[in-house]
Amino acid sequence: QVMGEEKPAYGWFVDQETASGALARWIPVRRNVIKRPFFATSEKFLDTCGAEVLVASAFHPTFSDKMFEMAEKASAFKAVVVVRRGCEGSLGFSLARPAQVTVGMRQSDGSFKRTDFQFGPEEAGLTRRLEVEQQCAPLSAESTAAKIARFEAEGSSGDAIFDDRVELTLAGLDKAFAQIFA
């Protein structure tokens, strides 16, 4: 979808290679060393869209704590949601085990009031899939966009694992947002 047109329910997809040749040159480096470049983390805090809530993920506990602290001390976000132990490299919750979710709400003194909870397949009325690893299956941008569009239009993408992960992730984020906007 072209930016400037009516915003789709799940936002826009930005092709990094088209948007920035300089950032695109990081892609082979990341794939080769299996690490994210620094910008993959720090770009979340730039808030180019004027969002009130930062939603981010981190697989490892120490990284999620640092992300929470950066949101609290170095941003103007009114709230933050950090998903930990979900699908590595994504906001998706794992179908194999509960994700750890940290929610922070900005207080009058500027600090965040922190709450933590676990959220897994059972809380969303889904069956745990122990055979599904925490890493999401590799997908192309086109394939993912097509699955999202079909899911949005029909309530199913045609891929049961993808659909369960979307349902689980949306239910977990709904719980986090219910705390923020209570």
Side-chain angles (χ1 to χ4, degrees), residues 23 26 36-48 54 56-57 63 66-67 70-71 74-75 77:
L23 288 177
W26 278 98
R36 285 179 228 178
F38 71 93
F39 198 66
T41 297
S42 59
E43 68 187 355
K44 294 168 181 58
F45 300 98
L46 298 177
D47 190 22
T48 57
L54 169 66
S57 67
F63 210 71
K66 295 285 186 200
M67 198 168 271
M70 277 185 70
S75 80
F77 290 108

Side-chain angles (χ1 to χ4, degrees), residues 2-181:
V2 178
M3 295 278 290
E5 293 180 9
E6 184 178 326
K7 182 180 176 184
Y10 293 101
W12 291 281
F13 165 78
V14 177
D15 180 8
Q16 184 173 327
E17 293 180 77
T18 302
S20 172
L23 288 177
R25 287 191 290 276
W26 278 98
I27 294 171
V29 174
R30 180 180 178 192
R31 289 185 179 138
N32 188 41
V33 297
I34 313 175
K35 295 288 180 190
R36 285 179 228 178
F38 71 93
F39 198 66
T41 297
S42 59
E43 68 187 355
K44 294 168 181 58
F45 300 98
L46 298 177
D47 190 22
T48 57
C49 297
E52 292 186 16
V53 179
L54 169 66
V55 179
S57 67
F59 190 76
H60 302 288
T62 55
F63 210 71
S64 64
D65 290 341
K66 295 285 186 200
M67 198 168 271
F68 183 90
E69 186 177 353
M70 277 185 70
E72 180 179 39
K73 295 181 178 177
S75 80
F77 290 108
K78 294 180 181 178
V80 63
V81 177
V82 181
V83 178
R84 182 166 43 95
R85 295 184 49 82
C87 295
E88 192 164 2
S90 82
L91 292 173
F93 285 42
S94 173
L95 295 168
R97 64 168 183 286
Q100 311 292 318
V101 182
T102 300
V103 178
M105 293 155 288
R106 183 88 55 198
Q107 304 299 294
S108 59
D109 67 358
S111 67
F112 277 154
K113 177 183 177 188
R114 179 179 175 147
T115 59
D116 296 277
F117 67 89
Q118 289 189 19
F119 197 87
E122 297 83 357
E123 286 82 9
L126 299 168
T127 303
R128 189 179 288 212
R129 294 177 182 255
L130 297 177
E131 76 280 6
V132 178
E133 183 53 43
Q134 75 268 12
Q135 291 184 335
C136 296
L139 297 169
S140 69
E142 293 80 15
S143 170
T144 302
K147 285 182 180 189
I148 290 169
R150 186 170 176 196
F151 185 91
E152 184 178 22
E154 301 173 18
S156 171
S157 69
D159 177 336
I161 292 174
F162 181 89
D163 293 351
D164 282 356
R165 187 164 283 129
V166 170
E167 293 289 344
L168 173 59
T169 301
L170 291 175
L173 292 175
D174 281 349
K175 181 174 180 177
F177 277 91
Q179 290 183 14
I180 292 169
F181 297 109

